[in-house]
Amino acid sequence: MDIFDWLSEKGIPYKNKDLIMNAFVHSSYVNEHKTFLDDNERLEFMGDAVLQVWTTTKLFLLEPPLHEGEMTTLRAQLVCEEALAQYTRTLKLNRFLLLGVGEEKTGGRERDSILADMFEALLGAVYLDSGYASVDKILEEVITPTINKPKSEKVIDYKTKLQEFIQSDSRKTVRYEVVNMSGPSNKPEFEVVVLLDDIILGRGVGFSKKKAEQQAARDAFEKMVK
């Protein structure tokens, strides 16, 4: 079975095969196969936005209605890196991932950060190729059953909490910037700062940009609420 068989099995139409395939191309594969010009990072960006809209809408329409704080916490749990990686495994999408030899040997096919990025990239590709209804078919299968399960309170979306704290006093928006990347190419560690008007509010490190951003937001938030 390839990804197009998988899409057909789910009743999801497709037109642009190159676009769909691009969702599964990791940067390590591009480095070793020069015929591939792009990895899946741009599609991941698109998929992240689609995922946020879908989950926000889903939570907003729940009955009985949830408070804003409850929706924020639950959304963070549903779209965190670990959750997205688990959706990928549930759907057995990691078998379609294209990795470089080194990344494959070091367990990249099971690494949460890579699987989460690939899942978002697929959502972006499907959305661009056949629209929101097709994305809905994928997310209804894996996220909707999860919403009704008991959740741990340990997941906190510090990026949202920080932005809400900043906007309670002004209309300004913070931004995140990668200032350093270290370690081997198959497992880089990112250092990120969060800035407001070019003033550094906090720093964070992590083995993915998203984790580093969350750590930077947490650092800033905890400093500001003291």
Side-chain angles (χ1 to χ4, degrees):
M1 172 181 283
D2 61 19
I3 181 57
F4 305 108
D5 295 327
W6 186 91
L7 290 170
S8 297
E9 191 176 81
K10 301 292 181 185
I12 297 171
Y14 56 86
K15 299 184 291 290
N16 189 335
K17 285 190 171 185
D18 289 340
L19 179 67
I20 299 297
M21 282 300 302
N22 191 216
F24 297 92
V25 180
H26 186 256
S27 57
S28 63
Y29 192 83
V30 174
N31 293 337
E32 296 178 10
H33 298 78
K34 301 306 180 184
T35 53
F36 282 81
L37 300 178
D38 297 309
D39 57 33
N40 61 8
E41 289 184 2
R42 279 168 46 83
L43 286 174
E44 176 203 342
F45 178 82
M46 173 61 76
D48 177 68
V50 175
L51 179 64
Q52 291 292 329
V53 170
W54 189 93
T55 51
T56 300
T57 303
K58 189 76 174 179
L59 295 176
F60 186 84
L61 295 175
L62 282 180
E63 293 291 346
L66 300 177
H67 297 298
E68 181 196 3
E70 293 173 318
M71 288 192 292
T72 298
T73 299
L74 185 50
R75 182 178 62 187
Q77 293 171 332
L78 293 171
V79 302
C80 71
E81 185 176 276
E82 292 80 2
L84 298 183
Q86 188 53 51
Y87 304 150
T88 302
R89 295 185 183 100
T90 298
L91 295 170
K92 299 180 180 179
L93 288 167
N94 50 339
R95 57 186 156 162
F96 307 129
L97 182 61
L98 297 176
L99 293 171
V101 174
E103 192 66 64
E104 186 77 70
K105 288 181 178 178
T106 55
R109 194 169 295 277
E110 287 299 326
R111 188 167 297 131
D112 281 1
S113 60
I114 292 177
L115 298 186
D117 290 349
M118 187 195 75
F119 185 75
E120 288 182 328
L122 176 62
L123 297 180
V126 168
Y127 173 75
L128 291 171
D129 191 51
S130 58
Y132 192 79
S134 295
V135 171
D136 185 64
K137 288 182 179 180
I138 297 172
L139 296 181
E140 279 285 356
E141 181 174 344
V142 288
I143 295 187
T144 299
T146 307
I147 291 175
N148 298 319
K149 293 181 180 178
K151 296 290 186 303
S152 163
E153 293 300 315
K154 68 178 181 179
V155 178
I156 300 175
D157 184 359
Y158 281 100
K159 289 179 68 175
T160 298
K161 289 176 73 70
L162 176 63
Q163 188 61 58
E164 289 173 347
F165 185 84
I166 295 294
Q167 291 188 334
S168 68
D169 190 51
S170 71
R171 292 180 177 273
K172 296 178 179 178
T173 301
V174 297
R175 63 186 177 88
Y176 296 84
E177 184 177 310
V178 177
V179 294
N180 188 41
M181 192 171 71
S182 59
S185 59
N186 63 325
K187 195 176 183 182
E189 184 174 68
F190 298 90
E191 181 181 1
V192 168
V193 294
V194 55
L195 305 106
L196 179 66
D197 292 336
D198 295 323
I199 298 172
I200 295 176
L201 302 180
R203 291 179 181 269
V205 295
F207 289 113
S208 72
K209 291 178 186 177
K210 290 179 182 177
K211 283 189 174 181
E213 288 174 356
Q214 283 288 347
Q215 290 301 318
R218 178 175 183 172
D219 180 44
F221 181 77
E222 291 179 346
K223 287 175 181 175
M224 297 180 77
V225 298
K226 282 183 178 178

